[in-house]
Amino acid sequence: MDKKTWIVEATISDMQDALKQGWITSVELVQLYLERIELYDGQLHSILEVNPDALQIAKDLDQERSVKKVRGMLHGIPVLLKDNIDTGDKLHTSAGSISLADSYAAKDSFVAEKLRQAGAVILGKTNMTEWANFMSASMWAGYSSRKGLTLNPYGPGELFIGGSSSGSGAAVAANLAAAAIGTETSGSIISPSSQNSLVGIKPTMGLVSRSGIIPITYTQDTAGPMARTVADAAILLGAITGADDQDEATNIDPQHRIKDYTEFLDAGYLKQARIGIPRHYYKHLDRDRLDIVESAIQVLREQGAVIIDPVDLPCQNTKWDANVLRYEFKKYVNDYLVNVDSSLPVHSLADVIAYNEAHADRAQKYGQGTLIWAEETSGTLTEQEYLESRQKNREMAGTRGIDQVLQEFQLDALLFLGNEYGPDLAARAGYPSITVPGGYAENGVIAPGGYMTKGPQGITFIGTAYSEPVLIKLAYGFEQATRHRVAPKLSSQSSE
């Protein structure tokens, strides 16, 4: 088979087999992806920067392979990182903001370091919704002042891209890398994965270190894998988990630290699974998307799962707020910015706001109302409003929400469509989510966020803390029974 054809939808296992057999080298893999980026990303705007050292890194890893030193499943595999994840190399880390366009991190984030140790080739940085979509309430998902608007490869300019790991979603969907790392505070891995027919895993808080990642919050932020298959996402997740003395949240029970999640690729588990259907959260769905959910439920039944329909969550009528994000953003973004190089123009949130005002023609296409809203807080995390919201999130979404209904009905997980409500509950609780391609909505309506609801749709499973093994089993079983993902038809025509 021609290698340019083969690379489309090739899995990490496919690549490792080809590398092992000598049919391809890591240098060739990198070159194939660089060619695809050159050919297709002029329209998608998913890649912010390509690593100028990628080919040399691949060459070094090929040399290791030649002397029988293979680090694992990611050895020589090109992956992309979201632009808020530090890399101590020639790539910038800017959260999509022109105020940090010249910022080089002094060292790798924990996640980047783990990927390098696993033998991955960091191919580049992906575009993202600027400041992880915590800059302006009117900002379009996928937009940054550094790169412009990321477009969905299944319908550039027509279909919703999802945010804020938008570039990671579009790039992996378009086969511009083997996989990518996104980050999530609430939905920012699950949303673009769902909208781009990908598998995305938002891990339990503390499973993956946040050190070296430009933050929104301390309470909810986490990095996680975005890939074309459950198996690839499982491989990536195992590579980035671990204890980090720079992030106390990773000081968890060692039994939860799993290095190989591929052992949970068990399609037969659905025969013993119990899955809850929270109908309350389906009431707003249009016909096409509700049909996708109903089809998924039927598939799970046919595969032997026990479906409890409906289940009511005690928290389902709770009024939520964004106070945790608002108060923690100022504190933790200041902690990050104070350490950036002294030559840069911003070292605090106040500096960012001032820089944006001074460069409004480029920096404020959608304003910066959310940044100003966050700057109005003390930055000390002592406000009663903040403390009450943080406790409410963990208690109502977690122990008195997800946990209570899982325990009441002895469930493995709850099923939601894409990023609709469930992932936000899981994020507030610090619990995991996994989304897997669920189908394609031919028609749609304008959703409350102002986006068109047609296009790829994910089926999302959420569970309790550290339930990644079970969620992977459920997602893998559903994926193997349906195989909904189809590669997008790409055009090399630039939208610029």
Side-chain angles (χ1 to χ4, degrees), residues 206-210 242-245 247-252 257:
L207 201 62
V208 177
S209 170
R210 285 87 47 84
D244 177 14
D245 59 11
D247 184 353
E248 64 181 16
T250 64
N251 184 24
I252 61 177
R257 295 200 195 104

PDB file of all heavy atoms in Angstrom, residues 206-210 242-245 247-252 257:
ATOM      1  N   GLY A 206      -6.188  14.725  39.356  1.00  0.00           N
ATOM      2  CA  GLY A 206      -5.051  14.177  40.076  1.00  0.00           C
ATOM      3  C   GLY A 206      -4.392  13.001  39.388  1.00  0.00           C
ATOM      4  O   GLY A 206      -3.284  12.609  39.759  1.00  0.00           O
ATOM      5  N   LEU A 207      -5.051  12.448  38.381  1.00  0.00           N
ATOM      6  CA  LEU A 207      -4.445  11.323  37.662  1.00  0.00           C
ATOM      7  C   LEU A 207      -3.311  11.809  36.767  1.00  0.00           C
ATOM      8  O   LEU A 207      -2.322  11.108  36.548  1.00  0.00           O
ATOM      9  CB  LEU A 207      -5.512  10.611  36.830  1.00  0.00           C
ATOM     10  CG  LEU A 207      -5.222   9.176  36.405  1.00  0.00           C
ATOM     11  CD1 LEU A 207      -5.061   8.270  37.611  1.00  0.00           C
ATOM     12  CD2 LEU A 207      -6.333   8.658  35.502  1.00  0.00           C
ATOM     13  N   VAL A 208      -3.457  13.027  36.228  1.00  0.00           N
ATOM     14  CA  VAL A 208      -2.456  13.633  35.343  1.00  0.00           C
ATOM     15  C   VAL A 208      -2.044  14.972  35.940  1.00  0.00           C
ATOM     16  O   VAL A 208      -2.894  15.790  36.300  1.00  0.00           O
ATOM     17  CB  VAL A 208      -3.030  13.836  33.921  1.00  0.00           C
ATOM     18  CG1 VAL A 208      -2.009  14.521  33.024  1.00  0.00           C
ATOM     19  CG2 VAL A 208      -3.458  12.496  33.324  1.00  0.00           C
ATOM     20  N   SER A 209      -0.750  15.216  36.013  1.00  0.00           N
ATOM     21  CA  SER A 209      -0.251  16.446  36.609  1.00  0.00           C
ATOM     22  C   SER A 209      -0.602  17.666  35.770  1.00  0.00           C
ATOM     23  O   SER A 209      -0.591  17.623  34.539  1.00  0.00           O
ATOM     24  CB  SER A 209       1.268  16.364  36.765  1.00  0.00           C
ATOM     25  OG  SER A 209       1.803  17.623  37.126  1.00  0.00           O
ATOM     26  N   ARG A 210      -0.836  18.796  36.469  1.00  0.00           N
ATOM     27  CA  ARG A 210      -1.093  20.074  35.801  1.00  0.00           C
ATOM     28  C   ARG A 210       0.146  20.953  35.749  1.00  0.00           C
ATOM     29  O   ARG A 210       0.097  22.052  35.208  1.00  0.00           O
ATOM     30  CB  ARG A 210      -2.196  20.854  36.534  1.00  0.00           C
ATOM     31  CG  ARG A 210      -3.596  20.334  36.322  1.00  0.00           C
ATOM     32  CD  ARG A 210      -3.959  19.242  37.314  1.00  0.00           C
ATOM     33  NE  ARG A 210      -3.633  19.530  38.696  1.00  0.00           N
ATOM     34  CZ  ARG A 210      -4.419  20.243  39.517  1.00  0.00           C
ATOM     35  NH1 ARG A 210      -5.558  20.712  39.086  1.00  0.00           N
ATOM     36  NH2 ARG A 210      -4.063  20.441  40.769  1.00  0.00           N
ATOM     37  N   GLY A 242       0.856   9.794  36.389  1.00  0.00           N
ATOM     38  CA  GLY A 242       1.974   9.587  37.302  1.00  0.00           C
ATOM     39  C   GLY A 242       2.021  10.635  38.392  1.00  0.00           C
ATOM     40  O   GLY A 242       1.389  11.682  38.309  1.00  0.00           O
ATOM     41  N   ALA A 243       2.799  10.332  39.432  1.00  0.00           N
ATOM     42  CA  ALA A 243       2.955  11.244  40.563  1.00  0.00           C
ATOM     43  C   ALA A 243       3.953  12.336  40.210  1.00  0.00           C
ATOM     44  O   ALA A 243       4.977  12.085  39.572  1.00  0.00           O
ATOM     45  CB  ALA A 243       3.435  10.478  41.792  1.00  0.00           C
ATOM     46  N   ASP A 244       3.652  13.552  40.647  1.00  0.00           N
ATOM     47  CA  ASP A 244       4.497  14.709  40.372  1.00  0.00           C
ATOM     48  C   ASP A 244       4.597  15.534  41.648  1.00  0.00           C
ATOM     49  O   ASP A 244       3.590  16.020  42.163  1.00  0.00           O
ATOM     50  CB  ASP A 244       3.880  15.539  39.242  1.00  0.00           C
ATOM     51  CG  ASP A 244       4.663  16.809  38.945  1.00  0.00           C
ATOM     52  OD1 ASP A 244       5.807  16.929  39.419  1.00  0.00           O
ATOM     53  OD2 ASP A 244       4.132  17.680  38.235  1.00  0.00           O
ATOM     54  N   ASP A 245       5.809  15.706  42.147  1.00  0.00           N
ATOM     55  CA  ASP A 245       5.953  16.458  43.392  1.00  0.00           C
ATOM     56  C   ASP A 245       5.663  17.937  43.217  1.00  0.00           C
ATOM     57  O   ASP A 245       5.592  18.681  44.201  1.00  0.00           O
ATOM     58  CB  ASP A 245       7.334  16.240  44.009  1.00  0.00           C
ATOM     59  CG  ASP A 245       8.481  16.647  43.087  1.00  0.00           C
ATOM     60  OD1 ASP A 245       8.219  17.295  42.056  1.00  0.00           O
ATOM     61  OD2 ASP A 245       9.640  16.315  43.403  1.00  0.00           O
ATOM     62  N   ASP A 247       2.829  18.884  41.822  1.00  0.00           N
ATOM     63  CA  ASP A 247       1.362  18.955  41.801  1.00  0.00           C
ATOM     64  C   ASP A 247       0.820  18.025  42.877  1.00  0.00           C
ATOM     65  O   ASP A 247       0.733  16.808  42.692  1.00  0.00           O
ATOM     66  CB  ASP A 247       0.817  18.554  40.430  1.00  0.00           C
ATOM     67  CG  ASP A 247      -0.700  18.714  40.324  1.00  0.00           C
ATOM     68  OD1 ASP A 247      -1.348  19.009  41.349  1.00  0.00           O
ATOM     69  OD2 ASP A 247      -1.240  18.544  39.215  1.00  0.00           O
ATOM     70  N   GLU A 248       0.431  18.592  43.989  1.00  0.00           N
ATOM     71  CA  GLU A 248       0.005  17.783  45.132  1.00  0.00           C
ATOM     72  C   GLU A 248      -1.257  16.978  44.851  1.00  0.00           C
ATOM     73  O   GLU A 248      -1.521  15.972  45.513  1.00  0.00           O
ATOM     74  CB  GLU A 248      -0.215  18.664  46.353  1.00  0.00           C
ATOM     75  CG  GLU A 248      -1.335  19.689  46.206  1.00  0.00           C
ATOM     76  CD  GLU A 248      -1.509  20.567  47.433  1.00  0.00           C
ATOM     77  OE1 GLU A 248      -0.585  20.598  48.269  1.00  0.00           O
ATOM     78  OE2 GLU A 248      -2.566  21.215  47.550  1.00  0.00           O
ATOM     79  N   ALA A 249      -2.024  17.387  43.854  1.00  0.00           N
ATOM     80  CA  ALA A 249      -3.237  16.634  43.518  1.00  0.00           C
ATOM     81  C   ALA A 249      -2.908  15.236  43.013  1.00  0.00           C
ATOM     82  O   ALA A 249      -3.757  14.342  43.052  1.00  0.00           O
ATOM     83  CB  ALA A 249      -4.055  17.380  42.463  1.00  0.00           C
ATOM     84  N   THR A 250      -1.674  15.029  42.540  1.00  0.00           N
ATOM     85  CA  THR A 250      -1.290  13.701  42.030  1.00  0.00           C
ATOM     86  C   THR A 250      -0.849  12.760  43.151  1.00  0.00           C
ATOM     87  O   THR A 250      -0.491  11.610  42.894  1.00  0.00           O
ATOM     88  CB  THR A 250      -0.154  13.806  41.000  1.00  0.00           C
ATOM     89  OG1 THR A 250       1.029  14.323  41.629  1.00  0.00           O
ATOM     90  CG2 THR A 250      -0.550  14.703  39.839  1.00  0.00           C
ATOM     91  N   ASN A 251      -0.883  13.236  44.379  1.00  0.00           N
ATOM     92  CA  ASN A 251      -0.546  12.386  45.533  1.00  0.00           C
ATOM     93  C   ASN A 251      -1.756  11.529  45.893  1.00  0.00           C
ATOM     94  O   ASN A 251      -2.443  11.752  46.878  1.00  0.00           O
ATOM     95  CB  ASN A 251      -0.117  13.248  46.718  1.00  0.00           C
ATOM     96  CG  ASN A 251       0.334  12.416  47.911  1.00  0.00           C
ATOM     97  OD1 ASN A 251       0.759  11.264  47.755  1.00  0.00           O
ATOM     98  ND2 ASN A 251       0.231  12.988  49.096  1.00  0.00           N
ATOM     99  N   ILE A 252      -2.020  10.540  45.032  1.00  0.00           N
ATOM    100  CA  ILE A 252      -3.209   9.707  45.171  1.00  0.00           C
ATOM    101  C   ILE A 252      -2.810   8.295  45.566  1.00  0.00           C
ATOM    102  O   ILE A 252      -1.626   7.936  45.561  1.00  0.00           O
ATOM    103  CB  ILE A 252      -4.010   9.672  43.845  1.00  0.00           C
ATOM    104  CG1 ILE A 252      -3.161   9.082  42.719  1.00  0.00           C
ATOM    105  CG2 ILE A 252      -4.493  11.069  43.473  1.00  0.00           C
ATOM    106  CD1 ILE A 252      -3.880   8.933  41.395  1.00  0.00           C
ATOM    107  N   ARG A 257      -2.853   4.488  40.061  1.00  0.00           N
ATOM    108  CA  ARG A 257      -1.861   4.822  39.041  1.00  0.00           C
ATOM    109  C   ARG A 257      -1.647   3.613  38.143  1.00  0.00           C
ATOM    110  O   ARG A 257      -0.999   2.642  38.519  1.00  0.00           O
ATOM    111  CB  ARG A 257      -0.544   5.248  39.681  1.00  0.00           C
ATOM    112  CG  ARG A 257      -0.635   6.533  40.471  1.00  0.00           C
ATOM    113  CD  ARG A 257       0.753   7.136  40.650  1.00  0.00           C
ATOM    114  NE  ARG A 257       0.697   8.170  41.694  1.00  0.00           N
ATOM    115  CZ  ARG A 257       1.155   8.011  42.913  1.00  0.00           C
ATOM    116  NH1 ARG A 257       1.733   6.870  43.262  1.00  0.00           N
ATOM    117  NH2 ARG A 257       1.058   8.988  43.798  1.00  0.00           N
TER     118      ARG A 257
END
